[in-house]
């Protein structure tokens, strides 16, 4: 694989609303982020992905943008933003912005003008006399009526997130213009929100029957997307030293390669979602019991599927997903399972993405009361479930496990008021466990999860085999074990993870006794041929 800075870096995702508040209004902000740069440096990360900070009515916490070139007042000013970019760069940290261009807010001036059929905006969105039967990602219909035009418009997400009409060359010019604006300010790339949904089939036909996302065959990875992405690449991205990661639900390695193959590179990498279904039936509300094999299978499929052809993104968490320890770990082996999960994912081939709080072992908040949740998706799904006849209890059980707010509770810095996040009333309740789980408690414990993340990042910088080496599964059929090797011309490493709460015998790995263990998550290795519960080890051939 060709070498690049974004392949060698480690990305840290900041959800600004919940990271650090600087002025006691209960909402995280840009000045708050600036005040925490030392922490980010000490973690060792080299790239930040910042979730949206643009002007927005906040129907979907900033993923509904009303001004792409303005900063939401709650987060600060454009001066703060420019200062953040400057100071990150001084500290050798790059910044990737969230580019949300499948849709805008309905309060964006383009939509307001489109409503009034003002030229040239009349055709910036999808307007139809007859509604289609498509359903939305957040539940309910995806086509809604507007009296002003006596027409229906498309919104794959909330009613306040109308989809942009990418057929319109003017829309594409607007997007390129936004990208240039931010790249010229110095940002180093984009995380492209739901980018594989931007192209819709001509004529917007009705969808075939489906219990979820009816109509999706007319917009998911639609072939028309490729010329659009190539246009962005040729006219803008290729002119800057930047990278893109596309958020692409519903892709296989094959579809992904149509975007990211080293010879195509419409996008530099994608977020795939197949391993996020390890505890559900592809729709997170259809929960199934977690089985390690259901995590290992898709991860290995992606490692093998992209090998030598495309670059992976490595993640277990983001602002849309519940906390990974709660999903895939074990609270009875809290530190062990958290560090095992980190070993399992971050020694694979690809760029690591760490979501804020993951590195200190934050877990699901699992609030009991619906009123404690703020997320529009959570609220909508509750209503929908009730409408379909499901009991309150059943719906709350799902929400406690799967709500996006599990990942959005404020960052836990210390055990003081509001975990050091804010001197005011936080916009979303804290996880009450912040007294024990926080940055400071991690910093003062030499065996903490945070220390382990720091060690992983240091190792990645030291051994390029961790970045670029080829991946190969070991004993794939063993359901309690996740083991693999990474290899390049000069080095070979072996990663072994016990994915169970029982000791397991690993006699076949005795050959490792001649190799050097560079990382493990127990104080000592008592017995080379037995892995303790959730034990993880990384060996390098001497
Ligand atoms: O969050 C999800 C499931 O709980 C996903 O279906 C999610 O909506 C989808 O991956 C798209 O996510 C992105 O776009 C949304 C926004 O709400 C998410 O926060 C964002 O990551 C609309 O912009
Ligand atoms: Ca604030």
């Amino acid at each position: 694989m060709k070498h690049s800075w974004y392949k060698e870096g480690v990305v840290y995702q900041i959800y600004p609303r919940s990271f650090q508040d600087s002025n006691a209004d209960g909402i995280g902000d840009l000045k708050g982020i600036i005040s925490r740069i030392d922490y980010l440096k000490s973690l060792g990360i080299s790239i930040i992905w910042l979730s949206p900070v643009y002007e927005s009515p906040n129907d979907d916490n900033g993923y509904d943008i009303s001004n792409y070139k303005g900063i939401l007042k709650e987060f600060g000013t454009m001066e703060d933003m420019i200062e953040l970019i400057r100071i990150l760069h001084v500290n050798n940290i790059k910044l990737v912005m969230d580019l949300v261009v499948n849709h805008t807010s309905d309060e964006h001036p383009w939509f307001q003008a489109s409503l009034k059929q003002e030229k040239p905006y009349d055709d910036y969105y999808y307007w139809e006399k007859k509604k289609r039967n498509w359903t939305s990602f957040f539940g309910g219909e995806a086509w809604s009526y507007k009296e002003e035009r006596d027409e229906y418009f498309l919104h794959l997400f909330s009613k306040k997130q109308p989809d942009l009409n990418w057929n319109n060359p003017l829309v594409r010019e607007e997007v390129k213009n936004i990208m240039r604006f931010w790249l010229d300010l110095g940002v180093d790339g984009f995380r492209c929100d739901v980018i594989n949904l931007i192209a819709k089939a001509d004529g917007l036909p009705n969808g075939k029957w489906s219990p979820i996302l009816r109509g999706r065959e007319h917009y998911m990875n639609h072939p028309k997307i490729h010329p659009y992405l190539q246009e962005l690449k040729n006219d803008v991205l290729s002119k800057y030293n930047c990278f893109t990661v596309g958020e692409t639900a519903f892709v296989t390695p094959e579809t992904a390669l149509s975007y990211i193959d080293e010879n195509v590179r419409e996008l530099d990498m994608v977020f795939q979602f197949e391993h996020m279904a390890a505890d559900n039936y592809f729709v997170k509300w259809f929960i199934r019991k977690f089985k390690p094999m259901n995590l290992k299978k898709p991860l290995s499929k992606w490692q093998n599927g992209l090998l030598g052809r495309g670059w992976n993104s490595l993640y277990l968490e983001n602002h849309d997903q519940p906390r990974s320890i709660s999903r895939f770990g074990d609270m009875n082996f809290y530190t062990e399972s958290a560090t095992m999960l980190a070993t399992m994912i971050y020694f694979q081939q690809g760029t690591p993405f760490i979501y804020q709080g993951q590195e200190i072992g934050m877990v699901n908040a699992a609030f009991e009361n619906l009123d404690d949740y703020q997320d529009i998706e959570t609220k909508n799904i509750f209503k929908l479930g009730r409408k379909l006849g499901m009991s309150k209890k059943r719906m709350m059980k799902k929400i406690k496990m799967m709500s996006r707010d599990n990942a959005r509770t404020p960052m836990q810095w210390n055990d003081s008021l509001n975990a050091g996040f804010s001197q005011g009333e936080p916009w979303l309740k804290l996880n009450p466990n912040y007294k024990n789980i926080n940055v400071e408690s991690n910093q003062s414990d030499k065996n903490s999860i945070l220390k382990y993340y720091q060690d992983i990042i240091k190792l990645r910088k030291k051994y390029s085999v961790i970045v670029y080496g080829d991946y190969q599964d070991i004993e794939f059929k063993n359901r309690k074990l996740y083991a693999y090797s990474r290899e390049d011309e000069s080095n070979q490493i072996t990663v072994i993870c016990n994915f169970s709460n029982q000791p397991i015998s690993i006699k076949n790995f005795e050959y490792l006794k001649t190799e050097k263990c560079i990382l493990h998550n127990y104080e000592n290795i008592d017995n080379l041929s037995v892995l303790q519960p959730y034990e993880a080890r990384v060996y390098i051939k001497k």
Side-chain angles (χ1 to χ4, degrees):
M1 302 295 283
K2 277 227 309 264
H3 291 200
S4 295
W5 60 267
Y6 67 80
K7 294 180 177 169
E8 288 156 26
V10 173
V11 186
Y12 188 84
Q13 183 192 352
I14 292 183
Y15 194 68
R17 183 162 287 268
S18 302
F19 191 61
Q20 177 67 62
D21 178 18
S22 73
N23 61 349
D25 65 354
I27 297 171
D29 46 53
L30 295 175
K31 284 208 166 79
I33 300 174
I34 292 173
S35 74
R36 292 296 185 182
I37 288 179
D38 284 347
Y39 170 71
L40 298 169
K41 273 200 83 162
S42 73
L43 178 56
I45 57 97
S46 44
I47 305 167
I48 285 173
W49 151 24
L50 183 60
S51 276
V53 290
Y54 316 98
E55 282 177 34
S56 161
N58 271 321
D59 188 51
D60 185 19
N61 277 359
Y63 283 89
D64 49 320
I65 298 169
S66 53
N67 177 5
Y68 289 88
K69 296 180 184 173
I71 301 294
L72 181 66
K73 272 206 189 69
E74 293 170 340
F75 290 141
T77 61
M78 191 52 90
E79 284 68 50
D80 296 335
M81 188 68 222
I82 290 167
E83 174 60 8
L84 175 64
I85 298 172
R86 188 192 68 78
I87 194 157
L88 285 175
H89 285 169
V90 167
N91 285 285
N92 284 320
I93 299 176
K94 307 227 184 224
L95 179 66
V96 165
M97 298 291 275
D98 220 305
L99 185 71
V100 188
V101 288
N102 173 70
H103 45 266
T104 69
S105 164
D106 65 342
E107 296 180 31
H108 194 290
W110 301 336
F111 190 76
Q112 289 305 314
S114 197
L115 259 182
K116 296 185 203 124
Q117 288 180 278
E118 279 168 23
K119 294 238 174 277
Y121 302 103
D122 51 339
D123 205 17
Y124 266 41
Y125 299 84
Y126 297 103
W127 292 103
E128 292 291 330
K129 284 284 168 221
K130 265 199 184 145
K131 77 168 161 186
R132 311 293 196 258
N133 62 8
W134 303 9
T135 53
S136 128
F137 276 73
F138 292 159
E141 297 186 352
W143 288 85
S144 290
Y145 181 72
K146 283 283 178 193
E147 215 160 42
E148 289 91 330
R149 283 181 65 141
D150 187 26
E151 278 181 317
Y152 294 85
F153 71 98
L154 170 64
H155 56 91
L156 292 181
F157 293 89
S158 97
K159 263 194 187 115
K160 287 183 66 63
Q161 292 168 297
D163 281 51
L164 281 166
N165 174 9
W166 277 71
N167 293 313
N168 185 340
L170 294 177
V171 166
R172 303 201 297 274
E173 283 310 317
E174 300 273 15
V175 171
K176 287 187 265 179
N177 180 288
I178 292 163
M179 293 168 80
R180 285 191 197 103
F181 173 84
W182 285 101
L183 290 165
D184 290 339
L185 273 182
V187 312
D188 305 285
F190 299 105
R191 174 267 187 186
C192 309
D193 191 65
V194 293
I195 197 72
N196 61 327
L197 312 184
I198 59 173
K200 277 85 177 172
D202 292 336
L204 308 154
N206 274 317
K208 59 172 194 256
W209 191 88
S210 165
I212 56 135
L213 295 179
R214 191 165 183 175
R216 67 181 182 279
E217 66 275 23
H218 300 308
Y219 59 79
M220 266 176 191
N221 306 303
H222 191 278
K224 271 165 50 186
I225 189 178
H226 296 293
Y228 297 160
L229 292 179
Q230 282 157 23
E231 190 178 326
L232 303 184
K233 170 93 186 190
N234 295 336
D235 295 359
V236 185
L237 294 165
S238 61
K239 310 219 178 331
Y240 297 82
N241 177 23
C242 65
F243 88 98
T244 53
V245 49
E247 188 210 21
T248 55
F250 302 88
V251 290
T252 61
E254 277 317 305
T255 16
L257 283 167
S258 73
Y259 304 119
I260 62 167
D261 189 293
E262 293 270 317
N263 302 317
V264 174
R265 294 279 292 284
E266 291 170 4
L267 299 165
D268 296 311
M269 53 181 138
V270 296
F271 291 126
Q272 58 88 15
F273 283 78
E274 296 194 307
H275 64 307
M276 289 289 107
D279 58 356
N280 60 77
Y281 296 98
F282 280 92
V283 175
K284 68 178 187 181
W285 306 109
F286 303 154
I287 297 169
R288 62 173 165 171
K289 191 174 175 308
F290 169 65
K291 287 201 188 114
M293 206 41 159
N294 290 335
L295 193 59
K296 170 166 150 176
K297 249 193 209 151
L299 286 173
S300 145
K301 171 178 154 193
W302 277 82
Q303 287 293 305
N304 289 304
L306 299 191
L307 204 65
R309 298 175 65 193
W311 196 246
N312 270 288
S313 68
L314 307 172
Y315 77 95
L316 291 177
E317 294 186 14
N318 61 41
H319 65 293
D320 291 334
Q321 299 292 334
R323 293 289 183 176
S324 57
I325 304 175
S326 307
R327 297 174 84 176
F328 315 132
D330 184 336
M331 288 309 280
N332 296 319
F333 294 94
Y334 167 69
T335 306
E336 293 81 358
S337 64
T339 47
M340 182 280 287
L341 286 168
T343 315
M344 183 271 306
I345 189 86
Y346 294 131
F347 281 87
Q348 302 197 3
Q349 192 191 62
T351 299
F353 286 76
I354 300 168
Y355 176 68
Q356 68 183 43
Q358 181 186 341
E359 78 283 11
I360 55 163
M362 282 177 66
V363 299
N364 282 355
F367 298 132
E368 297 288 340
N369 298 321
L370 187 65
D371 290 342
D372 289 333
Y373 294 85
Q374 304 282 344
D375 180 24
I376 180 167
E377 184 200 46
T378 302
K379 291 181 189 299
N380 283 357
I381 211 70
F382 182 83
K383 275 188 234 146
L384 188 71
R386 295 290 288 146
K387 216 167 98 186
L388 296 173
M390 272 181 264
S391 69
K392 259 189 197 152
K393 201 170 147 205
R394 178 141 178 232
M395 285 315 294
M396 283 317 295
K397 192 176 162 211
K398 288 179 188 287
I399 286 171
K400 280 164 66 178
M401 289 174 80
M402 288 299 186
S403 170
R404 305 195 294 185
D405 281 343
N406 281 312
R408 298 177 180 184
T409 58
M411 180 71 179
Q412 297 167 196
W413 296 101
N414 54 47
D415 63 6
S416 74
L417 175 75
N418 297 327
F421 163 70
S422 172
Q423 296 298 309
E425 177 76 14
W427 72 277
L428 179 65
K429 268 181 39 176
L430 286 135
N431 189 322
N433 70 15
Y434 75 83
K435 295 268 175 204
N436 301 315
I437 300 178
N438 59 59
V439 169
E440 281 179 21
S441 66
N442 269 263
Q443 282 168 333
S444 60
D445 170 4
K446 73 173 183 5
N447 296 320
S448 68
I449 300 171
L450 176 63
K451 287 273 158 64
Y452 197 86
Y453 270 77
Q454 288 169 326
D455 288 346
I456 292 182
I457 296 173
K458 276 187 207 135
L459 286 169
R460 238 179 145 263
K461 286 181 186 154
K462 184 163 171 196
Y463 299 108
S464 72
V465 62
I466 302 174
V467 179
Y468 293 111
D470 283 348
Y471 169 99
Q472 195 168 13
D473 287 307
I474 303 174
E475 288 192 31
F476 182 76
K477 291 215 171 98
N478 188 333
R479 277 177 300 194
K480 291 186 173 159
L481 186 78
Y482 194 163
Y484 55 88
S485 69
R486 304 287 313 283
E487 192 171 355
D488 65 13
E489 313 75 49
S490 28
N491 279 307
Q492 189 196 5
I493 62 166
T494 305
V495 179
I496 348 177
C497 300
N498 180 354
F499 232 120
S500 80
N501 59 7
Q502 304 290 321
I504 53 176
S505 156
I506 47 160
K507 287 224 162 51
N508 297 347
F509 289 89
E510 270 168 3
Y511 67 90
L512 292 171
K513 63 175 173 277
T514 58
E515 300 190 5
K516 186 176 153 201
C517 187
I518 51 171
L519 185 69
H520 58 120
N521 66 346
Y522 271 70
E523 286 253 23
N524 299 302
I525 296 176
D526 298 331
N527 184 342
L528 186 73
S529 351
V530 176
L531 278 184
Q532 295 303 297
Y534 297 101
E535 184 172 348
R537 301 181 195 163
V538 181
Y539 288 91
I540 191 156
K541 210 177 212 158
K542 277 189 207 150

